[in-house]
């Protein structure tokens, strides 16, 4: 571990020197890349320097033990520093876990009503509002790309972009099938019904991350529709893009202009193609995917929301909370933090193996 930390600190110092050189300052692209790399290394380097300070202080305390007048104080100080050393070593282990290159990116999410008919669509709407509240609480901004309303409320499907620092690092764990158990408003006999909605979470990717040939695209424009299918635009502003080789179809009608809708649709298309590419690579790797949290198949049941018992259970880590009302109002932090902790634990165990 120390060897790796020394290498990281040396690279950090090297980048700092490079960023002060005139040729780097004149190269905007290089300067930006180095600044990002520096930022990514900074937390590890600062923690390592704190760790080295603790080791230095411990050495001083050991020397103080030789002086009978201050030996008791030195003993107490050594005990305190030993505890700090252990905590810092655990922190450094976690910081050295390879980071997901997508963690800092914006997120493209899609929620769809699945099993359960109208109730599944209503639940999809509840999940969207839950994520809306969570994003508001964390300073993330939501932009709706496209949606289809359910006949009895909620959404048959809704697609949206979440913008904010490290949005993907938090929301990537929401990927999968979400199950609800409750008495639906559409149920006359008061029986509890189980329904599901699926959530797809994708990182927003840059143009350079995925190569799209313009000749592989079919772009259709049409008039956006509002409630009940009534035309809300007299000019064609809604956009449908089809990626012919993969038959991937993306629509966007939420922006005012055709140009804006096309830009949004292309962002979603890039994310979909990138996600498909990543899934293909993971399948080649095989069992590695099964050990991960938050990268499972969308059909995998990840969480149950039980309304009669006010309970939420995340099945991947066996986490249960009896605060469903708060969770549905956006209080997802405890669940997400538990998932992050378990993910880090599994990665540490994987490294040690």
């Amino acid at each position: 571990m120390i060897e790796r930390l020394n290498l990281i600190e040396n690279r950090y110092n090297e980048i700092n020197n490079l960023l002060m050189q005139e040729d780097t300052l004149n190269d905007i692209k290089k300067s930006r890349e180095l600044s990002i790399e520096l930022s990514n290394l900074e937390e590890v380097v600062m923690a390592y320097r704190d760790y080295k300070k603790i080791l230095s202080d411990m050495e001083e305390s050991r020397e103080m033990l030789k002086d009978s007048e201050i030996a008791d104080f030195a003993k107490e100080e050594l005990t305190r520093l030993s505890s700090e050393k252990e905590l810092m070593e655990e922190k450094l282990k976690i910081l050295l876990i390879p980071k997901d290159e997508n963690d800092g990116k914006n997120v493209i999410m899609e929620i769809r009503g699945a099993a359960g008919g109208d109730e599944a669509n209503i639940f999809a709407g509840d999940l969207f509002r839950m994520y809306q509240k969570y994003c508001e609480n964390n300073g993330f901004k939501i932009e709706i790309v496209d949606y289809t309303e359910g006949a009895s409320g909620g959404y048959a499907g809704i697609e949206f972009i979440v913008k904010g620092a490290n949005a993907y690092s938090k929301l990537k764990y929401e990927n999968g099938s979400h199950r609800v158990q409750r008495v639906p408003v559409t149920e006359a006999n008061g029986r509890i019904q189980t329904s599901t909605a699926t959530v797809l979470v994708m990182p927003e990717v840059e143009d350079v991350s995925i190569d799209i040939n313009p000749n592989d695209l079919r772009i259709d424009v049409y008039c956006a529709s509002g409630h009940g299918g009534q035309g809300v635009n007299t000019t064609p502003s809604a956009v449908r893009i089809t990626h012919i080789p993969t038959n991937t179809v993306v629509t966007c009608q939420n922006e005012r202009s055709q140009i804006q809708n096309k830009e949004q649709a292309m962002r979603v298309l890039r994310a979909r193609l990138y996600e498909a590419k990543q899934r293909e690579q993971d399948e080649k790797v095989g069992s590695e995917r099964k050990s991960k949290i938050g990268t499972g198949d969308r059909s995998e049941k990840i969480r149950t929301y039980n309304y009669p018992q006010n309970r939420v259970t995340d099945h991947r880590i066996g986490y249960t909370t009896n605060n469903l009302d708060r969770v549905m109002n956006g209080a997802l932090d405890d669940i997400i933090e538990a998932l992050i902790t378990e993910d880090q634990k599994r990665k540490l165990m994987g490294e040690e193996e």
Side-chain angles (χ1 to χ4, degrees), residues 207-273:
D207 292 6
V208 293
S209 301
I210 191 84
D211 185 30
I212 300 176
N213 186 339
N215 295 326
D216 289 338
L217 302 178
R218 183 173 70 245
I219 300 175
D220 302 307
V221 295
Y222 55 97
C223 291
S225 60
H227 298 286
Q230 295 176 344
V232 294
N233 278 328
T234 55
T235 56
S237 62
V239 173
R240 181 189 300 109
I241 301 178
T242 304
H243 184 250
I244 298 167
T246 60
N247 198 33
T248 303
V249 181
V250 174
T251 60
C252 183
Q253 61 173 331
N254 210 52
E255 299 296 336
R256 291 180 177 274
S257 75
Q258 186 184 122
I259 292 172
Q260 288 173 315
N261 280 321
K262 184 181 176 184
E263 286 176 356
Q264 289 278 50
M266 283 301 297
R267 290 164 76 180
V268 175
L269 178 62
R270 281 194 294 272
R272 284 187 178 279
L273 295 178

Side-chain angles (χ1 to χ4, degrees), residues 309-337:
Q309 297 177 24
N310 197 39
R311 186 184 73 230
V312 180
T313 300
D314 196 289
H315 304 289
R316 295 164 293 180
I317 58 174
Y319 179 94
T320 295
T321 177
N322 293 103
N323 293 308
L324 181 142
D325 50 341
R326 292 185 64 247
V327 169
M328 297 310 292
N329 202 38
L332 276 166
D333 299 271
D334 288 349
I335 297 175
I336 289 174
E337 284 304 316

Side-chain angles (χ1 to χ4, degrees), residues 6 69 75 91 104 163 166 176 253 275 281 339 348:
N6 282 330
E69 292 184 7
K75 245 184 228 181
K91 180 179 179 179
K163 293 182 174 181
N166 298 310
Q253 61 173 331
E275 195 267 344
Q281 289 174 352
L339 286 161
L348 277 173

Side-chain angles (χ1 to χ4, degrees), residues 160-175:
F160 53 99
I161 298 171
V162 179
K163 293 182 174 181
N166 298 310
Y168 185 75
S169 71
K170 305 283 188 181
L171 290 166
K172 64 182 177 182
Y173 301 102
E174 298 305 298
N175 200 63

